[in-house]
Amino acid sequence: MTITVKDVAKKAGVATSTVSRVINDHSSISDATKKKVYKVMEEMGYVPNIAARNLGKRSSGAVGVILPPLDSRERMGNPFYLEIIESINDEARQHSMTTAIATAQTFETLLENVQLMHRQKQVDGFILLYSDKDDPVIDYLFENQVPFSLIGQPYTNEDKVIYVDNDNQLLGKHATDYLIENGHKTILFITNTTHENVYYERYFGYQKAMMLADLTVLPSVDMEKPEDYVAFEELLKDTQATAAVVIDDIFAMRMIQLAQMYGYRVPDDFSVISFNNSIYATLVHPYLTSIDIDIAELGRMGMQKLIESLQEKEATGVRMVIPHKLIKRETVLSLKE
């Protein structure tokens, strides 16, 4: 026998219209009433007709999650995206919404996918999981006034875009400071991307820490081409570097393997610190010293800010900063001991 809104209203002792407002998360209904009605709905096994509800609201009840172009094995295997998508899904479920993923290998194809999702009204808004200076997707969303939130700091229109981020410049400084505190003086900054905002911010933080400590600031070590890996051995010999700040955990694991291949022991000869505190940090020894950026909170707040924008509760140009924490493990050797 099908359970109806009237059945729920009768058992909960409220009007049918009240149940409808609870289902639509209307602000006029108190939290206590919502809790009571939801409890009755659960007891009776009532499932709201989301499609019908969204049709009345002219809403799809879904949000699009946009990943950057998956143009490398590091990106395809980066656990950051899986962790943050799971967090976004959890928050979406709290609001009776679903998520749809937009991904591609190039920006051109990614833009086509996003345009299709928008024009066909498959989603109500988007969450971008990256910030790239050559990204046509964010330009499309901004110019067409499509609701979206951004995980990361935008390159332009900072006062008009809603974004959630860590203080990546401070992250870069804290990582470098930790190496300096442990007696390291010649420190590299190693990256496999030079066009994402996270690179610029973390490298700026590295530069600031080195300058404040009166140490030599070295150019960032860009590992984007096969020949860069071949030249890395010579770079280590020329600089006599004892430590490195690496752009993220998964790439740090590759750099540790590369250093070891060239005969450098980590951390005995070469210390490494990274970011994200992903599952890779404790998969193999030595365990990776990393800065935890609270990926789950980034996803949760990104989704929450998008929903507030969809409900017209949030003005544009809002920045939410998520705290970070240093996780000390085994890849940084103190030279002071």
Side-chain angles (χ1 to χ4, degrees), residues 127-144:
I127 302 176
L128 282 89
L129 302 188
Y130 65 94
S131 178
D132 192 295
K133 67 177 181 179
D134 299 317
D135 180 21
V137 175
I138 194 170
D139 293 337
Y140 172 81
L141 297 177
F142 187 79
E143 290 166 6
N144 288 275

Side-chain angles (χ1 to χ4, degrees), residues 59-220:
S59 164
S60 70
V63 298
V65 180
I66 308 174
L67 277 70
L70 301 179
D71 53 6
S72 69
R73 296 188 68 178
E74 279 84 7
R75 267 190 169 166
M76 290 182 71
N78 197 326
F80 170 85
Y81 299 117
L82 289 176
E83 289 181 48
I84 200 166
I85 288 170
E86 178 58 29
S87 176
I88 290 169
N89 280 336
D90 284 343
E91 187 64 21
R93 281 194 292 269
Q94 301 301 316
H95 298 272
S96 299
M97 300 187 78
T98 59
T99 56
I101 305 297
T103 185
Q105 289 191 331
T106 66
F107 273 122
E108 291 74 16
T109 307
L110 184 61
L111 177 60
E112 291 173 5
N113 292 343
V114 170
Q115 289 173 329
L116 187 65
M117 293 169 75
H118 171 229
R119 289 168 181 166
Q120 292 186 351
K121 302 189 184 302
Q122 297 175 24
V123 296
D124 299 322
F126 292 90
I127 302 176
L128 282 89
L129 302 188
Y130 65 94
S131 178
D132 192 295
K133 67 177 181 179
D134 299 317
D135 180 21
V137 175
I138 194 170
D139 293 337
Y140 172 81
L141 297 177
F142 187 79
E143 290 166 6
N144 288 275
Q145 299 183 326
V146 181
F148 74 93
S149 64
L150 173 67
I151 306 298
Q153 183 175 330
Y155 278 85
T156 58
N157 300 306
E158 294 94 329
D159 58 332
K160 299 181 180 69
V161 173
I162 297 173
Y163 64 103
V164 178
D165 199 8
N166 306 105
D167 187 334
N168 279 297
Q169 191 171 142
L170 186 59
L171 260 70
K173 181 178 182 298
H174 279 180
T176 311
D177 283 341
Y178 183 64
L179 294 175
I180 293 170
E181 289 164 9
N182 279 278
H184 296 275
K185 299 183 184 302
T186 306
I187 302 169
L188 303 175
F189 184 94
I190 307 176
T191 182
N192 63 342
T193 176
T194 55
H195 49 86
E196 292 185 45
N197 218 330
V198 66
Y199 154 70
Y200 290 103
E201 292 297 314
R202 290 177 182 174
Y203 183 53
F204 288 156
Y206 156 85
Q207 292 175 306
K208 184 175 182 179
M210 296 294 280
M211 287 188 290
L212 289 174
D214 291 323
L215 297 174
T216 301
V217 176
L218 298 173
S220 68

Side-chain angles (χ1 to χ4, degrees), residues 11-46:
K11 185 168 182 179
V14 298
T16 304
S17 59
T18 299
V19 176
S20 297
R21 289 192 178 96
V22 169
I23 293 171
N24 287 289
D25 197 24
H26 201 281
S27 58
S28 65
I29 306 299
S30 69
D31 289 339
T33 301
K34 287 179 182 178
K35 192 175 292 185
K36 180 173 73 171
V37 172
Y38 279 132
K39 185 179 180 182
V40 171
M41 287 166 60
E42 187 175 347
E43 290 173 353
M44 299 182 72
Y46 174 75

Side-chain angles (χ1 to χ4, degrees), residues 208-264:
K208 184 175 182 179
M210 296 294 280
M211 287 188 290
L212 289 174
D214 291 323
L215 297 174
T216 301
V217 176
L218 298 173
S220 68
V221 181
D222 306 333
M223 308 289 289
E224 297 184 278
K225 301 185 294 295
E227 53 264 35
D228 297 330
Y229 290 81
V230 177
F232 188 65
E233 181 182 19
E234 198 65 32
L235 175 72
L236 290 177
K237 289 178 181 177
D238 290 344
T239 61
Q240 295 293 300
T242 62
V245 178
V246 184
I247 193 69
D248 66 31
D249 287 349
I250 189 170
F251 194 62
M253 298 299 292
R254 173 166 286 200
M255 296 315 300
I256 288 172
Q257 290 177 334
L258 187 63
Q260 290 173 337
M261 186 180 78
Y262 289 133
Y264 291 82

